Amino acid sequence: SYELTQPPSVSVSPGQTASIACSGHKLGDKYNSWYQQKPGQSPVLVIYQDDKRPSGIPERFSGSNSGNTATLTISGTQTLDEADYYCQAWDSSTVIFGGGTKLTVL
Amino acid sequence: EVQLVQSGGGLVQPGGSLRLSCAASGFTFSDYSVNWARQAPGKGLEWVSYFSPSTSDIFYADSVKGRFTISRDNAKNSMNLQMNSLRAEDTAVYYCARAPTRDAFDMWGQGTMITVSS
């Protein structure tokens, strides 16, 4: 079965750039999305179709997807960006989520 | 306000049944595909089911296939998830989410907790 693999945790200092990777076989051939989830809250879509930002999502969030890896990049990371992040893609008739990455801003 | 409002859920014994509802406010559900996903306590997101009103496609995760049924109620502008033969491992917060295009979920419900325990 298809899998998406993310690092369990990423740390970044405020104002720096955070990158979260998501790897899967030929992931670049699929559309990838990213979700942000803060404790006790529902997930929020931050990137869709690899690199598009929904309205209301700050420009510091960007995405890319090529080969076997999709990457979420947060430029000028703020403390309010501390959250869990999940990548997501379709494989045939199944939706796959990555295991999630906890982003710590300190 | 445009939102998804979930109802249902609670505590159920193993082998029991439960129905979750997801009502659309401020938009028409028939214009969107809908997914259900869940999150076990302290764990990541797991997709459960998908429904497309335009293609009538319905998909389920292997973990729930044959036990869960997704359906829509046009009169109530809502989607339902009927869950039968519930197991302890079904314990999770369940979310509904709409998908304007198949590939991404742009709006999520508030989530509802399901606990399967005797």
Side-chain angles (χ1 to χ4, degrees), chain A residues 9-38:
Chain A
S9 62
V10 168
S11 295
V12 64
S13 300
Q16 299 304 301
T17 296
S19 293
I20 300 174
C22 172
S23 63
H25 180 64
K26 295 186 177 181
L27 180 56
D29 292 344
K30 308 176 189 295
Y31 273 140
N32 182 74
S33 300
W34 289 95
Y35 302 87
Q36 176 194 69
Q37 187 181 33
K38 297 182 178 180

Side-chain angles (χ1 to χ4, degrees), chain A:
Chain A
S1 61
Y2 195 83
E3 293 184 356
L4 293 176
T5 301
Q6 300 179 233
S9 62
V10 168
S11 295
V12 64
S13 300
Q16 299 304 301
T17 296
S19 293
I20 300 174
C22 172
S23 63
H25 180 64
K26 295 186 177 181
L27 180 56
D29 292 344
K30 308 176 189 295
Y31 273 140
N32 182 74
S33 300
W34 289 95
Y35 302 87
Q36 176 194 69
Q37 187 181 33
K38 297 182 178 180
Q41 298 184 18
S42 301
V44 173
L45 179 67
V46 294
I47 293 291
Y48 69 101
Q49 291 182 357
D50 298 337
D51 57 7
K52 296 180 175 58
R53 274 181 295 106
S55 62
I57 299 302
E59 290 185 11
R60 63 179 181 275
F61 287 87
S62 63
S64 64
N65 186 13
S66 179
N68 294 322
T69 304
T71 303
L72 173 69
T73 302
I74 309 173
S75 304
T77 307
Q78 301 182 10
T79 55
L80 58 84
D81 298 328
E82 187 163 285
D84 293 327
Y85 290 85
Y86 296 89
C87 57
Q88 172 257 313
W90 276 86
D91 178 60
S92 184
S93 58
T94 303
V95 173
I96 308 296
F97 285 103
T101 298
K102 181 176 181 58
L103 178 67
T104 301
V105 183
L106 45 68

Side-chain angles (χ1 to χ4, degrees), chain B residues 26-101:
Chain B
F27 68 97
T28 302
F29 241 148
S30 58
D31 294 338
Y32 297 85
S33 299
V34 176
N35 290 267
W36 287 91
R38 66 186 182 183
Q39 188 169 35
K43 303 297 184 182
L45 296 170
E46 179 190 13
W47 171 76
V48 172
S49 183
Y50 164 88
F51 173 82
S52 168
S54 61
T55 64
S56 298
D57 285 335
I58 294 178
F59 304 133
Y60 297 99
D62 287 344
S63 57
V64 306
K65 201 171 294 183
R67 300 188 298 124
F68 290 12
T69 303
I70 191 172
S71 64
R72 65 175 171 173
D73 186 334
N74 287 334
K76 296 182 178 179
N77 199 25
S78 66
M79 295 295 301
N80 299 318
L81 185 69
Q82 177 67 39
M83 304 182 295
N84 298 330
S85 302
L86 284 162
R87 307 166 180 167
E89 54 264 36
D90 296 319
T91 294
V93 174
Y94 284 73
Y95 296 99
C96 61
R98 77 173 192 181
T101 60

